[in-house]
Amino acid sequence: RKSKITASRKLLLKSLMLAKAKEEWDQEIVDKQAEKERYLSERITPLHTSGLSLSQLQDLCRELHEKVEIVDEERYDIEAMSGMEGRKKMFDAAKSPTGQ
């Protein structure tokens, strides 16, 4: 059986498909970056530190540090819980009669 399409035509179509896929991939990267910037601009208010005294700047730093600690604790708790769930599932599977 002979192919109805020549090898050069196959190669041309393949290269066109790869070029189109690369275009779409590049556009997806640009879109994701724009979405990230939009999301961050909505969620994060810019810091205005000009005109603040030393004590006000220190208070702002303390406040930001407290917020970072809270987020880190929550992240750690989530990671610990997901790890515990994974270990619990493995333990339950090992205990089950089908797992032996």
Side-chain angles (χ1 to χ4, degrees):
R1 287 170 51 160
K2 285 193 172 189
S3 176
K4 293 184 179 185
I5 189 167
T6 64
S8 61
R9 180 77 176 149
K10 266 187 189 177
L11 187 60
L12 174 67
L13 291 174
K14 190 182 230 182
S15 65
L16 289 173
M17 287 173 54
L18 285 172
K20 181 66 175 171
K22 181 164 179 15
E23 276 180 30
E24 290 178 3
W25 186 49
D26 291 341
Q27 185 61 41
E28 185 177 323
I29 290 171
V30 169
D31 292 345
K32 282 183 180 182
Q33 183 64 29
E35 176 65 20
K36 179 180 177 181
E37 289 173 8
R38 185 195 61 77
Y39 178 82
L40 289 176
S41 68
E42 287 177 1
R43 300 283 184 200
I44 299 174
T45 57
L47 282 178
H48 299 289
T49 57
S50 60
L52 295 178
S53 68
L54 180 61
S55 63
Q56 289 172 325
L57 286 172
Q58 288 174 337
D59 290 340
L60 178 62
C61 287
R62 283 188 199 99
E63 181 182 323
L64 291 174
H65 197 283
E66 288 173 6
K67 288 180 181 180
V68 168
E69 283 182 9
I70 290 170
V71 169
D72 278 346
E73 288 174 7
E74 289 174 356
R75 181 182 50 84
Y76 177 79
D77 291 343
I78 290 170
E79 288 174 355
M81 288 303 290
S82 64
M84 288 175 62
E85 285 296 318
R87 287 191 297 271
K88 183 179 178 185
K89 287 178 186 175
M90 289 183 348
F91 181 72
D92 290 342
K95 277 182 25 179
S96 71
T98 58
Q100 292 179 346

